[in-house]
Amino acid sequence: MTGGGGWVLRVGLGHHRPAPGRSYHGMVYLFPPGSTTPTLGRTEVPPGLPLWYLTRADRTLQDLRRRGERLPPDRRYLKAWARAVRPLEVNIEVSDLGTVLQARYRIPEGIWLLGRFEQEAKGEEPVREERLWCVRDPPPAGFEMALGAVRFHMHVERQGQEEEA
């Protein structure tokens, strides 16, 4: 079932005084629409397009880049499905206390989203949680993970509902 108006993705990543020796990373990777589920395996960096790359903002977003992320040379090389992802609102702060990101994007129906949140600490096994879903009716449940004072969330809703929420 396809409705009018499209979809909105909300993403939030807040680092509030991360514990010493720990690092956190939250990202949404996008995959093209299609009837098959993207094959992810257990790769360190997913093969999808990272959301930060599609965000028109200043250089501070480069701080979100993960080593090994595969990107096209520039936006002119993006496929139509990726060009259809439009930032509606992006607020980012990068400081010695960490990174805080709140963003909303318009996304096309049928696109696959992988939300991934990781915590790494020297001498410990990394903690990773991820959720993969296709954007279509009915809307997928939200995804939220908190590690100490650090929180990552993503939520998809029909365009127009975000004003009501």
Side-chain angles (χ1 to χ4, degrees):
M1 176 172 157
T2 306
W7 297 87
V8 172
L9 167 67
R10 292 175 179 266
V11 182
L13 171 65
H15 286 191
H16 305 287
R17 292 197 184 273
R22 297 191 183 277
S23 65
Y24 302 91
H25 184 74
M27 183 52 60
V28 179
Y29 296 92
L30 303 106
F31 298 85
S35 58
T36 60
T37 304
T39 304
L40 302 177
R42 297 308 296 169
T43 58
E44 193 60 33
V45 176
L49 190 64
L51 191 64
W52 70 260
Y53 178 76
L54 295 174
T55 301
R56 295 186 193 101
D58 60 18
R59 292 185 315 232
T60 59
L61 284 172
Q62 293 295 325
D63 296 336
L64 300 177
R65 186 174 183 152
R66 197 71 162 178
R67 188 173 55 224
E69 284 177 341
R70 296 175 206 93
L71 300 171
D74 62 49
R75 292 174 203 281
R76 292 175 294 176
Y77 291 86
L78 290 174
K79 303 275 188 194
W81 68 268
R83 285 194 305 269
V85 176
R86 300 282 184 182
L88 300 173
E89 170 190 17
V90 179
N91 297 311
I92 184 167
E93 297 174 28
V94 180
S95 73
D96 57 352
L97 298 179
T99 302
V100 178
L101 169 69
Q102 294 292 329
R104 291 185 307 131
Y105 298 84
R106 189 179 71 215
I107 54 176
E109 184 154 323
I111 201 169
W112 287 92
L113 303 173
L114 170 69
R116 179 179 276 192
F117 186 56
E118 301 169 317
Q119 171 189 270
E120 295 178 0
K122 196 169 187 169
E124 295 179 15
E125 285 291 316
V127 176
R128 176 187 294 166
E129 187 168 331
E130 54 189 22
R131 185 87 36 92
L132 174 71
W133 68 69
C134 184
V135 177
R136 61 178 172 238
D137 283 328
F143 169 60
E144 181 167 296
M145 183 177 180
L147 294 168
V150 183
R151 184 172 305 279
F152 175 75
H153 73 270
M154 59 185 286
H155 179 77
V156 178
E157 57 202 15
R158 277 262 175 225
Q159 190 166 7
Q161 290 178 343
E162 70 272 11
E163 287 85 20
E164 299 167 14

